[in-house]
Amino acid sequence: MASPSQPTSQKKRILSGVKPTGKAHIGNYLGAMRNHVNMQDDCENYIFIADLHSLTTVKNKAELHSLILDLALDYLALGLNPDKAVFFRQSDVPEHAELTWILNCLTPMPMLELAHAYKDAVAKGIKEINAGLFTYPVLMAVDILIYKPDIVPVGKDQKQHVEIARDLAGKFNRIYGDVFKLPEPYIPEEVAVVIGTDGQKMSKSYGNTIEIFASDKDLKKQVMGIKTDSTPVEAPKEPDTIYKLYSYFASEDEKAALLERYRAGGLGYGEAKKLLLEKVTETFKPFREERERLKNDLSYVKDILKRGAEQARVIASRTKAEVWDKTGLSI
Ligand code: ADP
Ligand code: TRP
């Protein structure tokens, strides 16, 4: 008999989380948020705000509040429909933290020593690496496994974490008996790594982002700040950062036309940036307007998260009961 916390419909169940840590950018949008929203029509969709994960770095109450609400606003403005998707906050579902302890007790330390967030912190020489950062992948594994999703859409940088989730699921199942499903990561290849204004991976931590909800003024500053080489206006050019970013939002014809202008010479980087700016502004304008509207109704936004948590807890509490049963905690 199918376990009660297995997906009940024919639709595939997808799950993903985003950590509220700053202003959403084109990399987050293309690598994660847009895919989550697009999948809501064909899949049983669980999307959550990973606020417990933010606590590894954010230590200020007011800051955490606004980061959480900002991310909720971003998703809703981008079209996440709470009637189609279960949208919630990780901390509203206590089973995430509870099951993390269980999986912590199955996680070999060397596995975590290889995890990239921890390794990066060590490489940077950060002295006070907290245990939360060290066990970050275990909490993420639980986030995933608790809902038994088929697919976990993430950016390439999160693939390792999904693999850790699979390893831990397999280990639990072998030791205690089958509870968890092994999830598949879904990483759309063309947007696996969106590059930033300096040519390396776009990331809040590198200060090279183009923010999707920035004001016109800031957006202009970010786009015009894209680093270019010193090829003169008249010279033919190879597709560069500007072209790559443009191509994410342009039609095939528009892309071909810009490529032709690059190859022909006579197109300066300044003009190419203006074309990109127009594209980005046009793409995100309706989302920005919707976000402004929602900002005036935060109690509506909070209600959505509360309702989502109630729905998520139905599944999370069933998985917890199975885990309690298998491990011997339920007597
Ligand atoms: P950041 O590096 O800016 O802090 P996060 O780590 O918060 O971004 O990433 C949130 C989501 O967006 C993750 O699923 C991540 O894989 C995706 N993502 C972040 N940056 C990029 C990028 N440059 N290209 C593709 N996906 C990205
Ligand atoms: N670690 C992810 C990030 O930094 C966020 C996250 C937390 C997540 N739990 C998850 C993503 C579960 C997918 C599934 O982006």
Side-chain angles (χ1 to χ4, degrees):
M1 201 176 79
S3 128
S5 49
Q6 297 291 352
T8 45
S9 64
Q10 295 302 317
K11 289 182 173 180
K12 287 219 183 289
R13 182 179 288 171
I14 75 153
L15 168 126
S16 205
V18 176
K19 205 170 38 161
T21 50
K23 305 247 185 281
H25 54 74
I26 288 179
N28 301 142
Y29 174 72
L30 296 171
M33 301 169 94
R34 182 179 68 171
N35 304 324
H36 302 162
V37 174
N38 285 347
M39 285 171 143
Q40 68 190 358
D41 291 320
D42 305 321
C43 300
E44 200 188 316
N45 201 346
Y46 288 76
I47 303 298
F48 68 92
I49 297 178
D51 52 358
L52 294 175
H53 276 108
S54 286
L55 284 177
T56 56
T57 50
V58 181
K59 309 289 179 198
N60 177 288
K61 174 178 170 176
E63 189 189 351
L64 189 61
H65 272 176
S66 64
L67 285 169
I68 292 168
L69 285 172
D70 273 346
L71 187 57
L73 284 168
D74 292 351
Y75 260 111
L76 294 170
L78 290 173
L80 192 82
N81 179 343
D83 293 326
K84 291 184 179 169
V86 178
F87 183 43
F88 63 101
R89 233 164 26 111
Q90 186 186 33
S91 61
D92 275 338
V93 183
E95 288 82 359
H96 288 239
E98 288 176 293
L99 288 196
T100 296
W101 178 253
I102 312 296
L103 286 199
N104 265 336
C105 295
L106 291 181
T107 308
M109 301 269 284
M111 182 191 257
L112 297 180
E113 278 158 10
L114 292 175
H116 70 78
Y118 173 72
K119 261 173 67 180
D120 290 354
V122 173
K124 279 187 199 145
I126 296 175
K127 290 231 167 54
E128 280 190 41
I129 299 174
N130 59 58
L133 187 75
F134 189 64
T135 62
Y136 182 110
V138 187
L139 176 58
M140 178 155 164
V142 170
D143 294 339
I144 297 172
L145 299 176
I146 207 166
Y147 298 100
K148 305 188 179 182
D150 299 290
I151 299 164
V152 182
V154 284
K156 205 171 183 172
D157 58 337
Q158 296 298 316
K159 188 168 177 244
Q160 183 194 31
H161 289 151
V162 181
E163 279 159 5
I164 291 177
R166 289 172 62 92
D167 286 351
L168 293 178
K171 189 162 184 192
F172 183 99
N173 291 348
R174 276 195 305 280
I175 293 176
Y176 292 112
D178 280 351
V179 169
F180 297 118
K181 180 170 192 161
L182 271 55
E184 293 294 335
Y186 167 68
I187 304 168
E189 207 35 61
E190 70 283 8
V191 289
V193 180
V194 174
I195 48 171
T197 55
D198 58 358
Q200 58 173 335
K201 177 191 175 244
M202 187 177 289
S203 170
K204 283 157 228 149
S205 29
Y206 301 146
N208 62 358
T209 61
I210 297 177
E211 292 163 13
I212 58 184
F213 294 108
S215 65
D216 285 334
K217 192 167 148 243
D218 288 344
L219 202 57
K220 186 168 176 190
K221 210 165 131 197
Q222 289 163 7
V223 172
M224 291 302 173
I226 293 175
K227 286 212 177 89
T228 54
D229 58 30
S230 50
T231 315
V233 174
E234 329 68 71
K237 296 174 183 66
E238 283 306 308
D240 62 347
T241 305
I242 310 170
Y243 178 80
K244 281 188 199 148
L245 289 170
Y246 180 85
S247 60
Y248 288 128
F249 303 104
S251 67
E252 289 305 317
D253 286 351
E254 287 169 325
K255 278 195 283 186
L258 186 60
L259 189 58
E260 210 178 297
R261 294 187 66 192
Y262 261 71
R263 296 255 151 92
L267 173 78
Y269 288 127
E271 199 184 335
K273 286 178 186 174
K274 278 198 191 126
L275 292 173
L276 171 63
L277 181 61
E278 271 168 31
K279 251 303 142 236
V280 173
T281 308
E282 174 193 310
T283 305
F284 291 107
K285 189 162 181 268
F287 302 134
R288 267 170 65 188
E289 286 169 0
E290 177 62 3
R291 197 180 188 287
E292 285 306 307
R293 198 185 64 76
L294 285 166
K295 229 164 90 179
N296 297 320
D297 199 355
L298 286 182
S299 58
Y300 166 76
V301 175
K302 288 181 189 170
D303 279 351
I304 288 174
L305 291 174
K306 220 161 132 194
R307 183 155 59 94
E310 281 160 17
Q311 292 170 278
R313 283 204 73 183
V314 173
I315 306 218
S317 62
R318 284 179 192 156
T319 306
K320 176 185 162 183
E322 290 177 56
V323 169
W324 254 234
D325 177 48
K326 296 277 191 204
T327 48
L329 288 168
S330 64
I331 53 167

